[in-house]
Amino acid sequence: MNLGMEAIPCNWHEQIIKLLAERIVVVDREGIILYINEAYCEFLGTTVKEAINRPVQDVIENTRMHIVVKTGQKELAAVHPINGSEMVANRFPLIVDGEIVGALGTVMFRSPEEWRMYKTKIQNLAEELKYYKTKVEKELKSKYSFHDLIGNSTTFLAAKKLAERISASNSSVLLIGESGTGKELFAHAIHNNSMRATLPFVAINCASIPEHLLESELFGYDDGAFTGAKKGGKKGQFEVANNGTLFLDEIGDMPLSMQSKLLRVLQEKEVQRVGGQKSIPVDVRIIAATHRDLEKMVEEGKFRQDLYYRLNVIKIEIPPLRKRKTDIPLISMSLLKKLGDKFYRKGIELTSEVQQRLMEHLWPGNIRELENVLERAINVLDGKTIEVSHLPLYLRDQVLESNSINEIKPMENVPSENNPIQISSLKDTLAQVEKDAILNALVVTNGNKQEAAKLLEISKTSFYEKCKLYYI
């Protein structure tokens, strides 16, 4: 049994034709109309009964259907003057067993107005597509250059110069540094200074993506790979970053099961989507970053040794802010300019006493903490000069902690009429103790908030809430 048109009931054919093409005409090899639908007849001002079996040129003004039958050449999107207007038509020769038996004509647009309406709609869609394409391309570009890495201290300049020197290479880079030291800025700058600068820069935080989603995020998935999968599948970040750079932040938090799959991709230079069968070649430079001690994790069996060596081709250690305190004034002024643009507050300055407080602080949260402190100060600032009173409480009270016992005059601790004891409220005192405990825990854990929360025996959620409360 032929499962072609014969399988479709005859009374369906008319409905199918109406759905496929609104206005349609079919002629034989002599140009005689064999079929014309009602929609076309209404447009022409005639009826099906009157049009059938008549020469096509007698029914349709300026038609070329009889010519197409002779030439055997199709005519696409042809302008056809008719009824004082112009329509857009397609004409196709019908060929059976190698011979022309007739022709098929369809009307795409009945008038210039209809054509302009569709044209406008298509143009709008094209412009929208261009907008989102530009937006995506912009988001995949690196945002920072080496000019944005501020600092003149010896340790920082050494890290910066090494990063500049190796940026032209295609070798993997491992950035080591505490949270908030600017590892992502280094990654952006390396890409921006490389031969891949005009190609995609894709950043992904391995710690922020749930383990069960990390594989599909990195490698993508095929259509129907799992329940809820996007129709047609989805590219993974490796494919998106192809020919460019993939920045894997917090690589130390990647589960062991994913580490082996990542290693395979780095070795074979190809990915296989979740639910897919074919391998897709990729050319990607890897820049990884972590605040963890990967060598110790390798010894403990928490990080694959072979992956560590694959990533650790070029290692760059970014010093914490407490080890480059001479850079604090420069960094502060750069951050103030950035925040001034954000809050429309130009020309903001720091008093010398504020600069001294900033220099004395240990900065467990590094540059990110410094930016938070300055942003808070700008929010409570009336004029253009940040003073000690605009700083968070733990920085205001810092001078008392930094003075040694020998520097305190004996009489200053003795209450008198002119020198009363300064008493803070119990609420402020407890808050200060809590802040100090959090800061000390962060120093001990090298800025690792999860470990700090464990030391303090509180939940990770509570720890983060308290950090936000105290601008840490």
Side-chain angles (χ1 to χ4, degrees), residues 241-283:
N242 192 30
N243 297 317
T245 302
L246 181 62
F247 174 52
L248 297 174
D249 199 7
E250 301 298 351
I251 190 73
D253 292 285
M254 179 176 282
L256 274 169
S257 59
M258 274 302 302
Q259 291 177 27
S260 59
K261 294 176 182 178
L262 173 62
L263 179 64
R264 181 193 170 279
V265 172
L266 298 183
Q267 288 175 333
E268 305 299 328
K269 297 187 182 300
E270 60 184 27
V271 296
Q272 189 169 306
R273 293 183 180 181
V274 175
Q277 300 298 322
K278 67 175 184 177
S279 294
I280 303 168
V282 289
D283 174 18

Side-chain angles (χ1 to χ4, degrees), residues 4-277:
M5 287 292 289
E6 290 82 355
I8 302 174
C10 290
N11 58 352
W12 290 19
H13 291 179
E14 178 72 15
Q15 181 69 15
I16 292 170
I17 291 171
K18 284 181 179 179
L19 292 172
L20 288 174
E22 191 175 331
R23 288 162 293 280
I24 186 170
V25 62
V26 179
V27 301
D28 64 13
R29 69 179 67 191
E30 304 300 329
I32 303 299
I33 296 176
L34 299 179
Y35 174 84
I36 186 168
N37 64 355
E38 290 182 7
Y40 206 164
C41 288
E42 287 176 9
F43 174 58
L44 296 170
T46 185
T47 63
V48 173
K49 187 176 181 180
E50 292 175 352
I52 291 290
N53 296 322
R54 291 177 59 192
V56 68
Q57 59 266 43
D58 292 347
V59 177
I60 303 175
E61 181 185 355
N62 295 317
T63 185
R64 288 179 53 84
M65 293 289 290
H66 57 298
I67 298 174
V68 170
V69 172
K70 303 299 182 187
T71 64
Q73 300 295 316
K74 62 184 176 182
E75 299 178 357
L76 301 179
V79 176
H80 184 157
I82 189 169
N83 292 346
S85 183
E86 290 179 332
M87 66 179 186
V88 180
N90 287 328
R91 306 180 186 101
F92 304 91
L94 297 175
I95 302 172
V96 177
D97 296 329
E99 290 188 18
I100 299 173
V101 296
L104 165 71
T106 63
V107 175
M108 296 170 63
F109 306 106
R110 291 174 295 178
S111 66
E113 289 74 22
E114 189 173 324
W115 158 243
R116 279 192 287 270
M117 181 184 72
Y118 278 91
K119 183 181 177 184
T120 302
K121 185 181 290 187
I122 292 169
Q123 282 179 332
N124 290 340
L125 288 172
E127 287 173 7
E128 187 176 352
L129 179 63
K130 183 180 178 182
Y131 166 78
Y132 285 112
K133 184 180 178 183
T134 304
K135 184 179 179 183
V136 168
E137 288 175 350
K138 188 176 180 181
E139 288 175 353
L140 294 178
K141 298 293 184 184
S142 53
K143 302 174 185 175
Y144 307 102
S145 65
F146 284 109
H147 178 73
D148 297 304
L149 303 180
I150 309 298
N152 291 323
S153 61
T154 306
T155 53
F156 181 76
L157 281 178
K160 184 177 176 180
K161 285 179 181 177
L162 176 58
E164 284 185 272
R165 194 176 304 123
I166 59 88
S167 58
S169 167
N170 282 322
S171 299
S172 298
V173 181
L174 181 60
L175 302 173
I176 303 292
E178 296 176 9
S179 296
T181 50
K183 296 187 292 295
E184 185 164 351
L185 267 69
F186 265 80
H188 277 272
I190 292 170
H191 173 79
N192 200 30
N193 201 49
S194 72
M195 290 182 289
R196 299 172 182 256
T198 58
L199 297 164
F201 175 87
V202 177
I204 184 168
N205 190 312
C206 301
S208 65
I209 301 173
E211 183 177 346
H212 66 283
L213 296 178
L214 190 55
E215 183 177 2
S216 60
E217 185 68 22
L218 282 174
F219 309 137
Y221 57 80
D222 270 354
D223 190 3
F226 49 84
T227 304
K230 182 180 177 183
K231 188 175 181 180
K234 179 188 173 185
K235 283 184 178 182
Q237 297 302 332
F238 267 93
E239 287 183 72
V240 174
N242 192 30
N243 297 317
T245 302
L246 181 62
F247 174 52
L248 297 174
D249 199 7
E250 301 298 351
I251 190 73
D253 292 285
M254 179 176 282
L256 274 169
S257 59
M258 274 302 302
Q259 291 177 27
S260 59
K261 294 176 182 178
L262 173 62
L263 179 64
R264 181 193 170 279
V265 172
L266 298 183
Q267 288 175 333
E268 305 299 328
K269 297 187 182 300
E270 60 184 27
V271 296
Q272 189 169 306
R273 293 183 180 181
V274 175
Q277 300 298 322

